Every structure is written in C-alpha cells, then in structure tokens.
Amino acid sequence: LRLQADIKVTRADGFAQSQIALRSSRSIALQDLTASLPLSALANVAPSGWTGTVNLKFANLVLADGWPSRADGVAEILNVSSASGRSPISGSYKITFPAPNAEKKQNVVTGAIADLGGPLQISGTLELRPERGYLLQGLVAPRPDAPKNLVNQLQILGPPDAQGRRPFSVEGSM
C-alpha cells in the first residue's frame, strides 16, 4: 500500500509544497519540494533563539523516521543570526545535495556547503548520518569587513593556511 498526495501548506510567514508519498509508516518521499519558511518553523532541527529564512528546492527528498536518507536539491539558509547577534555563523549559506565530488558513504547523505555572504567565507561538507548524527567540516576565513571580535574567535581554530583559511569540524546528533 502506498499513499500519495500533492500538498501545499501556507503560513503567514512562508509556504511549503510538494508531492508526498508515504512508503511505509517510517518512510516519506517528497518530490518537487519547494519551501520558504522562517528558521523558527524548523525548531526540531534549528538551534533555539536563531533567526533567518530557509528556502528549500529538492527534486527528491526521502525521510526515514523524520531524518534525510536521500536528498537531491538545495537548501539555502539566509540571514541567519543568533539572538545574541554575535554568532560566528551569521550570514547566508547554501547546501547542495548530493555534494559534488564527495566520497560516497553508505547510508550517509552528504551536502556541499558554501557561504552566500556575511562576515565569513565558508566551504565544506555536511554529512547527515542515519543515527541522526551530523558532521560539518570545512574551511573558514574572515572577510575583510568581518568584526574584529569574530576574527579573534577564529584563532581558536589554529593558524590559517596560505589563503587565510582555517579548518573546522563540528559533530553531533539530534
């Protein structure tokens, strides 16, 4: 048995629309997903107190137990900032799934992350693991107009390479 429907959800602050297919009680397949929502609407995966807009455009997105198990599309996180306003990741970012040239790992969804502006230049990868774990790693460098306190915070990552970039890695689970 397979249930399939076209859905459209409209909120005062955003929307989401997709073709959805329930594959089993634990698996949902979304096709032609388009959405634009405030970061706060994704409270189960976004840090508390953060603001910004999330734009999604996926040809295919499969969720197993509510977690991505396959993804083909783009997520943009625009104008993100923390309530304190001093977040080192304030700015705008794009994650492309699957990541081009990334090593294929069984049951791991990998996206390429890049900045779209803000005080930091960031490039790297985001791995989403089936046990609801994630690994974000890459290179970060301050832009010339980055606040001095942010530039100082980056020193904890160690010395920069010849291009002024420092490696970073953040791992956790949800």
PDB file of all heavy atoms in Angstrom, residues 130-161:
ATOM      1  N   PRO A 130      22.596   8.140   9.440  1.00  0.00           N
ATOM      2  CA  PRO A 130      21.294   7.535   9.738  1.00  0.00           C
ATOM      3  C   PRO A 130      20.913   7.507  11.220  1.00  0.00           C
ATOM      4  O   PRO A 130      19.732   7.482  11.544  1.00  0.00           O
ATOM      5  CB  PRO A 130      21.401   6.117   9.170  1.00  0.00           C
ATOM      6  CG  PRO A 130      22.844   5.866   8.975  1.00  0.00           C
ATOM      7  CD  PRO A 130      23.512   7.201   8.799  1.00  0.00           C
ATOM      8  N   GLU A 131      21.868   7.554  12.114  1.00  0.00           N
ATOM      9  CA  GLU A 131      21.558   7.548  13.545  1.00  0.00           C
ATOM     10  C   GLU A 131      21.248   8.956  14.044  1.00  0.00           C
ATOM     11  O   GLU A 131      21.371   9.251  15.228  1.00  0.00           O
ATOM     12  CB  GLU A 131      22.692   6.904  14.346  1.00  0.00           C
ATOM     13  CG  GLU A 131      23.974   7.713  14.424  1.00  0.00           C
ATOM     14  CD  GLU A 131      24.866   7.697  13.176  1.00  0.00           C
ATOM     15  OE1 GLU A 131      24.545   6.972  12.221  1.00  0.00           O
ATOM     16  OE2 GLU A 131      25.882   8.409  13.176  1.00  0.00           O
ATOM     17  N   ARG A 132      20.862   9.858  13.131  1.00  0.00           N
ATOM     18  CA  ARG A 132      20.538  11.257  13.401  1.00  0.00           C
ATOM     19  C   ARG A 132      21.775  12.047  13.839  1.00  0.00           C
ATOM     20  O   ARG A 132      21.681  13.011  14.578  1.00  0.00           O
ATOM     21  CB  ARG A 132      19.405  11.396  14.413  1.00  0.00           C
ATOM     22  CG  ARG A 132      18.111  10.771  13.932  1.00  0.00           C
ATOM     23  CD  ARG A 132      16.979  10.970  14.888  1.00  0.00           C
ATOM     24  NE  ARG A 132      16.400  12.288  14.818  1.00  0.00           N
ATOM     25  CZ  ARG A 132      15.489  12.689  13.933  1.00  0.00           C
ATOM     26  NH1 ARG A 132      15.064  11.863  13.024  1.00  0.00           N
ATOM     27  NH2 ARG A 132      15.006  13.909  13.973  1.00  0.00           N
ATOM     28  N   GLY A 133      22.907  11.624  13.339  1.00  0.00           N
ATOM     29  CA  GLY A 133      24.151  12.331  13.609  1.00  0.00           C
ATOM     30  C   GLY A 133      24.517  13.215  12.431  1.00  0.00           C
ATOM     31  O   GLY A 133      24.017  13.031  11.316  1.00  0.00           O
ATOM     32  N   TYR A 134      25.385  14.181  12.689  1.00  0.00           N
ATOM     33  CA  TYR A 134      25.844  15.059  11.620  1.00  0.00           C
ATOM     34  C   TYR A 134      27.318  15.394  11.829  1.00  0.00           C
ATOM     35  O   TYR A 134      27.837  15.344  12.946  1.00  0.00           O
ATOM     36  CB  TYR A 134      25.023  16.354  11.555  1.00  0.00           C
ATOM     37  CG  TYR A 134      25.136  17.202  12.800  1.00  0.00           C
ATOM     38  CD1 TYR A 134      26.151  18.141  12.948  1.00  0.00           C
ATOM     39  CD2 TYR A 134      24.236  17.053  13.847  1.00  0.00           C
ATOM     40  CE1 TYR A 134      26.264  18.906  14.099  1.00  0.00           C
ATOM     41  CE2 TYR A 134      24.332  17.808  14.999  1.00  0.00           C
ATOM     42  CZ  TYR A 134      25.351  18.736  15.115  1.00  0.00           C
ATOM     43  OH  TYR A 134      25.460  19.484  16.267  1.00  0.00           O
ATOM     44  N   LEU A 135      27.964  15.709  10.728  1.00  0.00           N
ATOM     45  CA  LEU A 135      29.351  16.166  10.748  1.00  0.00           C
ATOM     46  C   LEU A 135      29.449  17.303   9.746  1.00  0.00           C
ATOM     47  O   LEU A 135      29.173  17.130   8.558  1.00  0.00           O
ATOM     48  CB  LEU A 135      30.317  15.045  10.355  1.00  0.00           C
ATOM     49  CG  LEU A 135      31.782  15.455  10.159  1.00  0.00           C
ATOM     50  CD1 LEU A 135      32.381  16.002  11.454  1.00  0.00           C
ATOM     51  CD2 LEU A 135      32.592  14.290   9.629  1.00  0.00           C
ATOM     52  N   LEU A 136      29.796  18.478  10.235  1.00  0.00           N
ATOM     53  CA  LEU A 136      30.011  19.663   9.405  1.00  0.00           C
ATOM     54  C   LEU A 136      31.503  19.965   9.482  1.00  0.00           C
ATOM     55  O   LEU A 136      32.042  20.158  10.574  1.00  0.00           O
ATOM     56  CB  LEU A 136      29.190  20.842   9.942  1.00  0.00           C
ATOM     57  CG  LEU A 136      29.402  22.203   9.278  1.00  0.00           C
ATOM     58  CD1 LEU A 136      29.012  22.165   7.814  1.00  0.00           C
ATOM     59  CD2 LEU A 136      28.606  23.264  10.026  1.00  0.00           C
ATOM     60  N   GLN A 137      32.159  19.974   8.329  1.00  0.00           N
ATOM     61  CA  GLN A 137      33.588  20.259   8.325  1.00  0.00           C
ATOM     62  C   GLN A 137      33.963  21.021   7.062  1.00  0.00           C
ATOM     63  O   GLN A 137      33.282  20.917   6.050  1.00  0.00           O
ATOM     64  CB  GLN A 137      34.411  18.985   8.447  1.00  0.00           C
ATOM     65  CG  GLN A 137      34.170  17.965   7.367  1.00  0.00           C
ATOM     66  CD  GLN A 137      34.903  16.658   7.644  1.00  0.00           C
ATOM     67  OE1 GLN A 137      35.648  16.543   8.612  1.00  0.00           O
ATOM     68  NE2 GLN A 137      34.702  15.677   6.804  1.00  0.00           N
ATOM     69  N   GLY A 138      35.014  21.798   7.182  1.00  0.00           N
ATOM     70  CA  GLY A 138      35.442  22.571   6.029  1.00  0.00           C
ATOM     71  C   GLY A 138      36.496  23.587   6.385  1.00  0.00           C
ATOM     72  O   GLY A 138      37.265  23.415   7.338  1.00  0.00           O
ATOM     73  N   LEU A 139      36.478  24.682   5.622  1.00  0.00           N
ATOM     74  CA  LEU A 139      37.446  25.760   5.796  1.00  0.00           C
ATOM     75  C   LEU A 139      36.696  27.070   5.986  1.00  0.00           C
ATOM     76  O   LEU A 139      35.665  27.303   5.341  1.00  0.00           O
ATOM     77  CB  LEU A 139      38.357  25.857   4.569  1.00  0.00           C
ATOM     78  CG  LEU A 139      39.223  24.638   4.285  1.00  0.00           C
ATOM     79  CD1 LEU A 139      39.865  24.740   2.916  1.00  0.00           C
ATOM     80  CD2 LEU A 139      40.286  24.475   5.369  1.00  0.00           C
ATOM     81  N   VAL A 140      37.227  27.922   6.854  1.00  0.00           N
ATOM     82  CA  VAL A 140      36.594  29.208   7.140  1.00  0.00           C
ATOM     83  C   VAL A 140      37.664  30.298   7.148  1.00  0.00           C
ATOM     84  O   VAL A 140      38.792  30.073   7.599  1.00  0.00           O
ATOM     85  CB  VAL A 140      35.829  29.167   8.488  1.00  0.00           C
ATOM     86  CG1 VAL A 140      36.763  28.842   9.640  1.00  0.00           C
ATOM     87  CG2 VAL A 140      35.081  30.457   8.750  1.00  0.00           C
ATOM     88  N   ALA A 141      37.280  31.463   6.614  1.00  0.00           N
ATOM     89  CA  ALA A 141      38.176  32.627   6.626  1.00  0.00           C
ATOM     90  C   ALA A 141      37.329  33.878   6.814  1.00  0.00           C
ATOM     91  O   ALA A 141      36.213  33.957   6.287  1.00  0.00           O
ATOM     92  CB  ALA A 141      38.961  32.722   5.319  1.00  0.00           C
ATOM     93  N   PRO A 142      37.828  34.843   7.552  1.00  0.00           N
ATOM     94  CA  PRO A 142      37.068  36.090   7.704  1.00  0.00           C
ATOM     95  C   PRO A 142      37.160  36.932   6.430  1.00  0.00           C
ATOM     96  O   PRO A 142      38.182  36.931   5.746  1.00  0.00           O
ATOM     97  CB  PRO A 142      37.767  36.787   8.874  1.00  0.00           C
ATOM     98  CG  PRO A 142      39.170  36.283   8.810  1.00  0.00           C
ATOM     99  CD  PRO A 142      39.083  34.863   8.301  1.00  0.00           C
ATOM    100  N   ARG A 143      36.099  37.632   6.153  1.00  0.00           N
ATOM    101  CA  ARG A 143      36.129  38.610   5.063  1.00  0.00           C
ATOM    102  C   ARG A 143      36.807  39.871   5.602  1.00  0.00           C
ATOM    103  O   ARG A 143      36.877  40.080   6.812  1.00  0.00           O
ATOM    104  CB  ARG A 143      34.709  38.909   4.597  1.00  0.00           C
ATOM    105  CG  ARG A 143      34.114  37.781   3.784  1.00  0.00           C
ATOM    106  CD  ARG A 143      33.036  38.303   2.834  1.00  0.00           C
ATOM    107  NE  ARG A 143      32.786  37.348   1.781  1.00  0.00           N
ATOM    108  CZ  ARG A 143      32.025  36.266   1.915  1.00  0.00           C
ATOM    109  NH1 ARG A 143      31.420  36.019   3.049  1.00  0.00           N
ATOM    110  NH2 ARG A 143      31.859  35.444   0.900  1.00  0.00           N
ATOM    111  N   PRO A 144      37.296  40.728   4.703  1.00  0.00           N
ATOM    112  CA  PRO A 144      37.993  41.940   5.160  1.00  0.00           C
ATOM    113  C   PRO A 144      37.160  42.814   6.101  1.00  0.00           C
ATOM    114  O   PRO A 144      37.724  43.461   6.978  1.00  0.00           O
ATOM    115  CB  PRO A 144      38.306  42.683   3.854  1.00  0.00           C
ATOM    116  CG  PRO A 144      38.365  41.613   2.822  1.00  0.00           C
ATOM    117  CD  PRO A 144      37.344  40.584   3.250  1.00  0.00           C
ATOM    118  N   ASP A 145      35.829  42.809   5.955  1.00  0.00           N
ATOM    119  CA  ASP A 145      34.988  43.653   6.804  1.00  0.00           C
ATOM    120  C   ASP A 145      34.424  42.916   8.022  1.00  0.00           C
ATOM    121  O   ASP A 145      33.553  43.434   8.718  1.00  0.00           O
ATOM    122  CB  ASP A 145      33.844  44.259   5.980  1.00  0.00           C
ATOM    123  CG  ASP A 145      32.960  43.196   5.341  1.00  0.00           C
ATOM    124  OD1 ASP A 145      33.365  42.004   5.293  1.00  0.00           O
ATOM    125  OD2 ASP A 145      31.861  43.551   4.884  1.00  0.00           O
ATOM    126  N   ALA A 146      34.934  41.716   8.305  1.00  0.00           N
ATOM    127  CA  ALA A 146      34.452  40.943   9.455  1.00  0.00           C
ATOM    128  C   ALA A 146      34.778  41.680  10.760  1.00  0.00           C
ATOM    129  O   ALA A 146      35.854  42.284  10.888  1.00  0.00           O
ATOM    130  CB  ALA A 146      35.097  39.568   9.476  1.00  0.00           C
ATOM    131  N   PRO A 147      33.864  41.650  11.725  1.00  0.00           N
ATOM    132  CA  PRO A 147      34.133  42.292  13.020  1.00  0.00           C
ATOM    133  C   PRO A 147      35.388  41.711  13.680  1.00  0.00           C
ATOM    134  O   PRO A 147      35.654  40.513  13.602  1.00  0.00           O
ATOM    135  CB  PRO A 147      32.892  41.972  13.850  1.00  0.00           C
ATOM    136  CG  PRO A 147      31.836  41.602  12.868  1.00  0.00           C
ATOM    137  CD  PRO A 147      32.548  41.030  11.683  1.00  0.00           C
ATOM    138  N   LYS A 148      36.133  42.572  14.330  1.00  0.00           N
ATOM    139  CA  LYS A 148      37.397  42.167  14.968  1.00  0.00           C
ATOM    140  C   LYS A 148      37.194  41.037  15.975  1.00  0.00           C
ATOM    141  O   LYS A 148      37.992  40.104  16.030  1.00  0.00           O
ATOM    142  CB  LYS A 148      38.023  43.394  15.655  1.00  0.00           C
ATOM    143  CG  LYS A 148      39.327  43.114  16.347  1.00  0.00           C
ATOM    144  CD  LYS A 148      40.485  43.545  15.482  1.00  0.00           C
ATOM    145  CE  LYS A 148      41.773  43.441  16.261  1.00  0.00           C
ATOM    146  NZ  LYS A 148      42.691  42.515  15.681  1.00  0.00           N
ATOM    147  N   ASN A 149      36.097  41.096  16.759  1.00  0.00           N
ATOM    148  CA  ASN A 149      35.873  40.034  17.751  1.00  0.00           C
ATOM    149  C   ASN A 149      35.652  38.683  17.069  1.00  0.00           C
ATOM    150  O   ASN A 149      36.064  37.646  17.584  1.00  0.00           O
ATOM    151  CB  ASN A 149      34.712  40.388  18.690  1.00  0.00           C
ATOM    152  CG  ASN A 149      33.373  40.443  17.983  1.00  0.00           C
ATOM    153  OD1 ASN A 149      33.292  40.690  16.793  1.00  0.00           O
ATOM    154  ND2 ASN A 149      32.323  40.213  18.745  1.00  0.00           N
ATOM    155  N   LEU A 150      35.031  38.680  15.900  1.00  0.00           N
ATOM    156  CA  LEU A 150      34.829  37.430  15.159  1.00  0.00           C
ATOM    157  C   LEU A 150      36.162  36.902  14.631  1.00  0.00           C
ATOM    158  O   LEU A 150      36.449  35.702  14.733  1.00  0.00           O
ATOM    159  CB  LEU A 150      33.841  37.655  14.011  1.00  0.00           C
ATOM    160  CG  LEU A 150      33.515  36.450  13.157  1.00  0.00           C
ATOM    161  CD1 LEU A 150      32.938  35.321  13.996  1.00  0.00           C
ATOM    162  CD2 LEU A 150      32.532  36.835  12.061  1.00  0.00           C
ATOM    163  N   VAL A 151      36.972  37.767  14.096  1.00  0.00           N
ATOM    164  CA  VAL A 151      38.299  37.379  13.620  1.00  0.00           C
ATOM    165  C   VAL A 151      39.103  36.788  14.774  1.00  0.00           C
ATOM    166  O   VAL A 151      39.769  35.752  14.618  1.00  0.00           O
ATOM    167  CB  VAL A 151      39.039  38.589  12.990  1.00  0.00           C
ATOM    168  CG1 VAL A 151      40.471  38.230  12.632  1.00  0.00           C
ATOM    169  CG2 VAL A 151      38.281  39.104  11.769  1.00  0.00           C
ATOM    170  N   ASN A 152      39.021  37.394  15.949  1.00  0.00           N
ATOM    171  CA  ASN A 152      39.726  36.877  17.122  1.00  0.00           C
ATOM    172  C   ASN A 152      39.204  35.507  17.540  1.00  0.00           C
ATOM    173  O   ASN A 152      39.978  34.647  17.950  1.00  0.00           O
ATOM    174  CB  ASN A 152      39.624  37.860  18.287  1.00  0.00           C
ATOM    175  CG  ASN A 152      40.406  39.129  18.037  1.00  0.00           C
ATOM    176  OD1 ASN A 152      41.316  39.162  17.206  1.00  0.00           O
ATOM    177  ND2 ASN A 152      40.031  40.197  18.729  1.00  0.00           N
ATOM    178  N   GLN A 153      37.879  35.289  17.432  1.00  0.00           N
ATOM    179  CA  GLN A 153      37.300  33.989  17.787  1.00  0.00           C
ATOM    180  C   GLN A 153      37.832  32.874  16.896  1.00  0.00           C
ATOM    181  O   GLN A 153      37.989  31.732  17.342  1.00  0.00           O
ATOM    182  CB  GLN A 153      35.775  34.032  17.682  1.00  0.00           C
ATOM    183  CG  GLN A 153      35.103  34.825  18.764  1.00  0.00           C
ATOM    184  CD  GLN A 153      33.599  34.903  18.560  1.00  0.00           C
ATOM    185  OE1 GLN A 153      33.020  34.193  17.753  1.00  0.00           O
ATOM    186  NE2 GLN A 153      32.953  35.781  19.309  1.00  0.00           N
ATOM    187  N   LEU A 154      38.130  33.178  15.647  1.00  0.00           N
ATOM    188  CA  LEU A 154      38.623  32.157  14.717  1.00  0.00           C
ATOM    189  C   LEU A 154      40.009  31.644  15.090  1.00  0.00           C
ATOM    190  O   LEU A 154      40.397  30.560  14.681  1.00  0.00           O
ATOM    191  CB  LEU A 154      38.641  32.707  13.287  1.00  0.00           C
ATOM    192  CG  LEU A 154      37.288  32.969  12.646  1.00  0.00           C
ATOM    193  CD1 LEU A 154      37.470  33.537  11.247  1.00  0.00           C
ATOM    194  CD2 LEU A 154      36.419  31.722  12.623  1.00  0.00           C
ATOM    195  N   GLN A 155      40.746  32.404  15.879  1.00  0.00           N
ATOM    196  CA  GLN A 155      42.092  31.990  16.261  1.00  0.00           C
ATOM    197  C   GLN A 155      42.098  30.692  17.040  1.00  0.00           C
ATOM    198  O   GLN A 155      43.098  29.969  17.027  1.00  0.00           O
ATOM    199  CB  GLN A 155      42.781  33.106  17.033  1.00  0.00           C
ATOM    200  CG  GLN A 155      43.082  34.306  16.175  1.00  0.00           C
ATOM    201  CD  GLN A 155      43.726  35.439  16.957  1.00  0.00           C
ATOM    202  OE1 GLN A 155      44.123  35.291  18.108  1.00  0.00           O
ATOM    203  NE2 GLN A 155      43.833  36.592  16.312  1.00  0.00           N
ATOM    204  N   ILE A 156      40.981  30.357  17.690  1.00  0.00           N
ATOM    205  CA  ILE A 156      40.907  29.101  18.435  1.00  0.00           C
ATOM    206  C   ILE A 156      41.046  27.889  17.515  1.00  0.00           C
ATOM    207  O   ILE A 156      41.417  26.802  17.948  1.00  0.00           O
ATOM    208  CB  ILE A 156      39.605  29.023  19.271  1.00  0.00           C
ATOM    209  CG1 ILE A 156      39.709  27.916  20.308  1.00  0.00           C
ATOM    210  CG2 ILE A 156      38.398  28.793  18.376  1.00  0.00           C
ATOM    211  CD1 ILE A 156      38.611  27.948  21.340  1.00  0.00           C
ATOM    212  N   LEU A 157      40.790  28.092  16.209  1.00  0.00           N
ATOM    213  CA  LEU A 157      40.886  27.000  15.247  1.00  0.00           C
ATOM    214  C   LEU A 157      42.320  26.699  14.822  1.00  0.00           C
ATOM    215  O   LEU A 157      42.571  25.746  14.098  1.00  0.00           O
ATOM    216  CB  LEU A 157      40.043  27.324  14.003  1.00  0.00           C
ATOM    217  CG  LEU A 157      38.549  27.487  14.240  1.00  0.00           C
ATOM    218  CD1 LEU A 157      37.859  27.945  12.961  1.00  0.00           C
ATOM    219  CD2 LEU A 157      37.932  26.211  14.774  1.00  0.00           C
ATOM    220  N   GLY A 158      43.248  27.535  15.270  1.00  0.00           N
ATOM    221  CA  GLY A 158      44.643  27.324  14.906  1.00  0.00           C
ATOM    222  C   GLY A 158      45.083  28.295  13.828  1.00  0.00           C
ATOM    223  O   GLY A 158      44.329  29.162  13.401  1.00  0.00           O
ATOM    224  N   PRO A 159      46.327  28.139  13.372  1.00  0.00           N
ATOM    225  CA  PRO A 159      46.870  29.078  12.389  1.00  0.00           C
ATOM    226  C   PRO A 159      46.210  28.886  11.023  1.00  0.00           C
ATOM    227  O   PRO A 159      45.839  27.778  10.646  1.00  0.00           O
ATOM    228  CB  PRO A 159      48.359  28.733  12.336  1.00  0.00           C
ATOM    229  CG  PRO A 159      48.453  27.344  12.859  1.00  0.00           C
ATOM    230  CD  PRO A 159      47.306  27.141  13.796  1.00  0.00           C
ATOM    231  N   PRO A 160      46.086  29.982  10.259  1.00  0.00           N
ATOM    232  CA  PRO A 160      45.495  29.885   8.922  1.00  0.00           C
ATOM    233  C   PRO A 160      46.482  29.316   7.905  1.00  0.00           C
ATOM    234  O   PRO A 160      47.690  29.357   8.111  1.00  0.00           O
ATOM    235  CB  PRO A 160      45.149  31.330   8.589  1.00  0.00           C
ATOM    236  CG  PRO A 160      46.143  32.137   9.356  1.00  0.00           C
ATOM    237  CD  PRO A 160      46.404  31.355  10.618  1.00  0.00           C
ATOM    238  N   ASP A 161      45.935  28.799   6.800  1.00  0.00           N
ATOM    239  CA  ASP A 161      46.793  28.367   5.699  1.00  0.00           C
ATOM    240  C   ASP A 161      47.213  29.592   4.877  1.00  0.00           C
ATOM    241  O   ASP A 161      46.905  30.730   5.255  1.00  0.00           O
ATOM    242  CB  ASP A 161      46.098  27.298   4.840  1.00  0.00           C
ATOM    243  CG  ASP A 161      44.857  27.808   4.102  1.00  0.00           C
ATOM    244  OD1 ASP A 161      44.613  29.032   4.043  1.00  0.00           O
ATOM    245  OD2 ASP A 161      44.124  26.960   3.556  1.00  0.00           O
TER     246      ASP A 161
END
